[in-house]
Amino acid sequence: MSETTPSLGTTTSAAAPSSDSASASDPASASAIARARRARIALRGLQVFLALFYGIASALPKLIAHPSASEAFDKMGWGSGGMYTIGALELAGAVALLIPVLQSVAAVALGALMVGAFVVQIVVFDGQNAATPLILLVPLALIAWKRRGSNAELLRLARRRA
């Protein structure tokens, strides 16, 4: 059975029989194919959830200068410039999580932001919400790893344009 990945425009072969009648006679491979499909759907759902979280819950308060965000960045000494910069980076990462060729790179970049957020939470805020960035690192690392194949396509596109 072949599968076309719309994001990359390539065809990959799954470890499955070539005809539908063969897959009906081999329940183990049909079960493996169904599990793999459910895993891909769950991972994509996780990406959408994280994109919504970063875009709405994290970036938006910074970009509209919500008082809670402004106070936090003032306490860090970064002011509104730092707040808008971090908000823009989070929004860009959220959008990139939804673009198939950028999804792995976006997860790595957002993960780097979370490492920075963890350090800031420890140093400036005495660890008050330090667990949040660490918790977010786990699904970001999973996305970066599972979608790492998109990096080759991104590199190919970059080389073609250079």
Side-chain angles (χ1 to χ4, degrees), residues 51-62 90:
L52 289 171
F53 172 80
Y54 278 105
I56 296 170
S58 192
L60 187 62
K62 294 172 183 83
E90 288 176 340

Side-chain angles (χ1 to χ4, degrees), residues 26-39:
D26 187 5
S29 67
S31 175
I33 292 169
R35 275 194 312 273
R37 183 173 187 269
R38 285 192 302 270

